[in-house]
Amino acid sequence: MSEIARKSRWGIGIFMFYGLFVAAVLALVLFVSFQDIQLVEQDYYEKELVFQQQIDRVKRTLELPSAVTFDYDRTGRVITILYPPEVEHARLGGRISLMRPSNADLDRMVEVFPDSTGRQVIDASGLERGMWRLKASWKIDDVEYYNEDMIVIQ
């Protein structure tokens, strides 16, 4: 085997290695560019700026004599929210976010509208099976409260 043939194999080997490396990097870039990246919140920076208000809402909620309870009834496929009996239910307002962590497109909003006993029933028959995060932002007059819980729809 001549020395010229040996040198030409080294050049081909280096060229092939470099070519495979470039192809792998391009394949990785293409793969990553087609991935669907969903943020939990689209306006996360603005929400961070008002986080102290959220801390105050949670603190006020924890100071209540009894807590808001979330319950999922599997047979009736309903979510029941029970507000504290100490608050005046006719003056309650706010909204409840039903958030699906795995798919933001399935998120829903429901207005806080309890009955005279402080009970609110939400139909869960339209919700996909799996884990859901419930975020209840409610208020009485101008005093705001916040509760959060997880449920599993089956």
Side-chain angles (χ1 to χ4, degrees):
M1 191 181 288
S2 71
E3 192 172 321
I4 295 173
R6 193 180 300 163
K7 283 184 181 180
S8 66
R9 278 193 252 149
W10 275 100
I12 291 172
I14 290 172
F15 178 74
M16 287 177 54
F17 178 78
Y18 180 73
L20 287 172
F21 175 75
V22 169
V25 168
L26 288 175
L28 180 66
V29 168
L30 281 172
F31 175 74
V32 170
S33 67
F34 287 111
Q35 293 299 310
D36 183 28
I37 300 172
Q38 294 181 358
L39 297 174
V40 173
E41 302 281 347
Q42 293 297 327
D43 53 349
Y44 65 93
Y45 183 73
E46 289 82 11
K47 292 200 183 256
E48 181 67 27
L49 295 177
V50 295
F51 191 64
Q52 183 59 44
Q53 294 172 349
Q54 179 69 7
I55 292 171
D56 295 339
R57 285 184 205 109
V58 171
K59 185 178 176 185
R60 278 191 295 272
T61 305
L62 293 174
E63 291 171 351
L64 289 172
S66 57
V68 172
T69 58
F70 300 92
D71 185 42
Y72 172 66
D73 179 16
R74 220 161 87 168
T75 56
R77 290 197 46 99
V78 294
I79 301 168
T80 304
I81 302 170
L82 189 61
Y83 295 95
E86 299 84 18
V87 301
E88 193 173 326
H89 302 122
R91 294 187 352 220
L92 276 175
R95 63 183 170 172
I96 301 161
S97 301
L98 296 139
M99 300 178 70
R100 180 71 186 255
S102 63
N103 188 349
D105 295 332
L106 299 175
D107 294 355
R108 285 183 33 190
M109 291 280 206
V110 178
E111 291 297 317
V112 171
F113 194 71
D115 61 13
S116 61
T117 63
R119 186 172 176 249
Q120 181 170 358
V121 178
I122 300 171
D123 181 25
S125 62
L127 299 178
E128 284 193 16
R129 296 175 188 263
M131 186 179 75
W132 288 81
R133 183 181 304 267
L134 278 72
K135 296 181 176 184
S137 296
W138 52 284
K139 63 182 179 177
I140 304 169
D141 297 328
D142 290 332
V143 181
E144 297 181 350
Y145 301 90
Y146 178 82
N147 290 82
E148 187 173 319
D149 201 2
M150 300 274 248
I151 61 167
V152 177
I153 304 290
Q154 298 177 346

